[in-house]
Amino acid sequence: MPPRSDDPRRDATGSRRGSSRGSEPREPGLGGISDARAYTPRGRTVREGGGAEQRRTPRSNRSGDPFRPALQVLDGGRAGRAGTREPVTDGARSGRRSTAAGGRAGVVRTVSSRPVREPFDDDDEDAPPPRRRSQPRRPAAQPRRPVRKPRRPPRLGDPRRRLRLGTVLALALFASIGVRLVYLQTVDTPAYADGGLPNRLAVVELPAPRGAILDRGGEPLAHSVEARYVFADPTRVKDRFATARLLSPLLGVPVSDLAEKMRKRTLPGTDTPLQFVYLARGVEIGTAKKIMALDLAGINVHRDERREVPGGDLAANLIGFVSQDMNGLEGLEAKYDDVLRGQAGKRTYEVGLGDLAAPIPGGYSRTTQPQPGSSLKLTVDRDLQFMTQRILAKQTAKVKGSVGAAVIIEVPSGEVLAQASQPTYDAANPTKVGSPADRDDAATTFVVDPGSIHKAITYGAALQEGVITPDTTFPVANTIVRGGVTFRDTHPADGRTMSIPGMLAYSSNVGTIEIAEKLGKDRLFDYQKRFGLGQATGEGMPGEAAGRLLPPDQWSGSAYGSVPIGHSVDATPLQMAAAYATIANNGTYVQPHLVKETIGADGKRSPAAAPTTRSVLSPANAAALRQMMEAVTTVDGPDGPATGLAAAVPGYRVAGKTGTGLRYDGGKQQPGEVGSFIGMAPAESPRYVVAVFVWSPGGGGGAVAAPAFREMMGFTLRHYRVPPSLTNKSPKFEVFPR
């Protein structure tokens, strides 16, 4: 018989009583709530009505629970024997339950043919019991084995703490980077910025426009015009020799010179490569365009200026010339170079390296604007200068190998209206000249022994000191001996009595020496200095010679004869012209000068310093001397014409003096002689003084000096529209009064 079931609601076959389906045969382990509860988690249900007291009841007394049979796990539909555990075969369903009196219910599983038992823990409703291997049930009296709870895994770090730590580290990193950037941008900026700056800098000079040289009417004698300069960057030139061969025909510079300029090198005292070098200055704009059309690497052009002399040789010996760098080399260009040149500017900027040698936008850039030079306004009249040069060239051409000088001074201002030299040169092309001496200004560098033109100084001093008067006469011998030297007259008087105008007309050496002896050497020496001899005039020309006077304590016996007639005296044509201008200016010496005013770049005019003046003769004595000197250009008696008759200007009264002297070069007397004539007109009220000097190795200068004076003075008077002396004729002079 099948075992009796403990569940009163089930029969021996395991079916529940009162069920319509209880009579149907059932497959073991299926159907019914009990079967469903047998598969609830941990194989148990909620106890009903048990309470704490029931939980304290021994397991053997819990069979009275009406739901207990339903919690029993049936094995194949058969009730297990109390206190025993039946083995479950491999085919038994996992999860079947078996019970034992007073024992603990459990589930026996077969896993890999090994029985495993899951204990039930009535006291622990939440935690699942650990699985146990299937083994024989211990006796009921055996104490319960403690259930081990699974070990908790080690507690991991708090993610929020890790997040906070990472945030702090990131902020600290960015803060340190920010501080460093601020430090670099504020504290170390100059050091880092300047560290590599020299390697990126390009410097371009901005030339200052040079001031012009103008004549008294504002017409340019020399001025600057726009041009181009050609420069090279040696660091970018690919083949300097090939480049030089292309540029040489256009610039007129030898290939070797251009190639040397384009050679790579560094700035003196540094490791910085040279990136700028001039190849040519003052290049015409058309030529510069041809160079740019070649598109040569490292070659470029920039705005420049070129000195232009419109008149070519007009006043060339006065003006001088400049170098390609616009530096004055000779003449007024050299004397006033600091005024004319101005102050050059400079542009310094950052450029890219390599082939990108272009200004860096926003990079370092500094520009110093050039300051244009001032202009010089001269006292020279370009029209008068032109005619003076033309006349001098024509007259000197008559004497082979001659050198000529001419000066025209305005009375009473002392302004030099014309100053010519022969030979001359083209100031626009100064290298094409026969001799460097041709570039000299003869009026200030031509040192001569003035000869008889010095006699006007001797007679003027004698008048002023009362040694003679305009009416003085005395016998004049043909010769006179002083210091063993015999001095003769070219127009012998044969012991006849001569007047002072007659002595001037025939240039008597003997009569002049006798007057000088009465004057005395000390007073004569003093008047030489008053008339401006022995010192440079300060006209404005560079290299002006000072001349030389023989001090009285150095006079030899012959000096008493040579000094009064203009020998043993060194002077320049300009000094002698200034002495005669003193006579023309009523006895007042006025320093001759060339510069009238300076005109700044802003148009501001600054007059030149006032010339030095001093009184030498009284106006009456100066007028008397001028009248006596008119005999030189008017006397034409039975004893022959006066020495200066060829210098007479028709329609005007002219007072002057001829001279024949010697030339000295480097302190040595040169062969030949110097012929000269200095005069003033109109003699009654002189307006202009003209001095002409002609030296020739073979002589004959005197034959052309007087005619040259006549032409120059005549043009000057007509040019300035001076009325002729028609109603005021020259007096009649008696050379040998009875």
Side-chain angles (χ1 to χ4, degrees), residues 316-321 329-331 421 423-427 429-442 445 541:
N317 300 78
L318 283 179
I319 296 171
F321 58 91
L329 298 181
E330 286 191 13
S421 299
T424 186
Y425 70 102
D426 185 358
N429 194 0
T431 58
K432 293 183 179 180
V433 63
S435 170
D438 295 347
R439 298 195 297 257
D440 294 339
D441 174 52
T445 62
M541 288 297 295

Side-chain angles (χ1 to χ4, degrees), residues 124-415:
D124 191 353
E125 294 280 342
D126 298 328
R131 294 180 179 179
R132 293 183 298 181
R133 295 178 180 178
S134 177
Q135 58 184 356
R137 186 175 180 84
R138 293 187 183 126
Q142 186 177 352
R144 179 183 175 185
R145 185 178 179 179
V147 178
R148 291 185 179 181
K149 294 183 179 181
R151 181 181 298 177
R152 285 188 175 184
R155 185 176 182 180
L156 300 178
D158 189 348
R160 289 174 298 177
R161 178 184 295 178
R162 291 196 298 271
L163 181 60
R164 287 193 296 268
L165 180 60
T167 303
V168 171
L169 291 177
L171 292 177
L173 177 62
F174 283 111
S176 62
I177 294 175
V179 171
R180 181 58 179 169
L181 288 176
V182 172
Y183 183 81
L184 292 176
Q185 291 291 330
T186 58
V187 180
D188 287 349
T189 296
Y192 283 99
D194 296 341
L197 188 60
N199 296 329
R200 303 189 303 272
L201 289 183
V203 180
V204 177
E205 183 178 351
L206 304 177
R210 189 176 179 85
I213 298 179
L214 312 173
D215 81 329
R216 66 186 298 112
E219 297 296 330
L221 298 175
H223 64 105
S224 296
V225 296
E226 183 180 352
R228 298 289 183 268
Y229 66 79
V230 182
F231 67 96
D233 181 354
T235 62
R236 301 183 59 219
V237 175
K238 296 180 180 179
D239 188 340
R240 58 191 179 104
F241 289 100
T243 303
R245 284 191 290 271
L246 293 173
L247 294 177
S248 180
L250 296 173
L251 300 179
V253 181
V255 174
S256 58
D257 292 348
L258 292 174
E260 175 61 24
K261 290 182 179 181
M262 290 184 285
R263 179 175 57 86
K264 293 182 180 180
R265 53 188 179 274
T266 59
L267 295 173
T270 66
D271 294 333
T272 305
L274 181 65
Q275 294 180 306
F276 181 89
V277 61
Y278 283 113
L279 297 182
R281 299 291 303 273
V283 178
E284 293 184 356
I285 297 178
T287 303
K289 290 182 178 179
K290 294 179 181 178
I291 293 174
M292 291 303 297
L294 296 176
D295 194 19
L296 300 174
I299 305 299
N300 210 333
V301 300
H302 201 274
R303 182 169 180 169
D304 195 17
E305 60 176 326
R306 177 169 50 87
R307 202 63 168 172
E308 188 173 90
V309 183
D313 63 351
L314 182 65
N317 300 78
L318 283 179
I319 296 171
F321 58 91
V322 298
S323 66
Q324 288 188 346
D325 294 330
M326 305 303 284
N327 295 321
L329 298 181
E330 286 191 13
L332 296 175
E333 295 276 20
K335 177 70 174 182
Y336 297 96
D337 183 64
D338 56 341
V339 177
L340 295 167
R341 181 175 55 196
Q343 186 175 356
K346 183 173 62 174
R347 183 188 178 201
T348 305
Y349 56 94
E350 269 188 285
V351 298
L353 300 179
D355 294 334
L356 299 177
I360 299 177
Y364 176 84
S365 179
R366 183 178 181 181
T367 301
T368 303
Q369 295 297 335
Q371 301 296 325
S374 299
S375 298
L376 289 181
K377 188 174 184 179
L378 304 184
T379 60
V380 173
D381 185 326
R382 62 178 299 172
D383 294 333
L384 183 59
Q385 177 73 27
F386 172 80
M387 287 302 300
T388 302
Q389 288 186 209
R390 182 177 178 181
I391 294 169
L392 184 63
K394 181 181 68 174
Q395 293 296 335
T396 55
K398 299 177 181 179
V399 183
K400 185 178 180 179
S402 61
V403 175
V407 178
I408 301 178
I409 297 178
E410 182 185 54
V411 180
S413 66
E415 295 180 354

Side-chain angles (χ1 to χ4, degrees), residues 13-14 24-31 35 74 76-77 93 96:
T13 61
E24 295 179 1
R26 299 183 57 178
E27 183 180 355
L30 297 177
D35 294 339
L74 303 180
R93 184 188 177 104
R96 293 179 181 175

Side-chain angles (χ1 to χ4, degrees), residues 5-87:
S5 173
D6 292 337
D7 190 347
R9 290 171 296 180
R10 293 182 180 271
D11 55 14
T13 61
S15 62
R16 187 171 181 176
R17 290 193 302 264
S19 175
S20 60
R21 291 176 299 179
S23 60
E24 295 179 1
R26 299 183 57 178
E27 183 180 355
L30 297 177
I33 296 178
S34 297
D35 294 339
R37 291 189 177 184
Y39 286 93
T40 58
R42 303 187 67 177
R44 64 182 183 276
T45 62
V46 179
R47 297 179 179 85
E48 298 178 358
E53 295 180 358
Q54 186 178 2
R55 286 195 299 268
R56 287 193 299 268
T57 304
R59 295 179 181 268
S60 59
N61 297 331
R62 293 179 185 177
S63 59
D65 185 356
F67 294 99
R68 186 65 180 176
L71 299 176
Q72 293 177 350
V73 178
L74 303 180
D75 186 9
R78 297 186 301 270
R81 184 174 296 178
T84 63
R85 180 184 300 272
E86 295 181 359

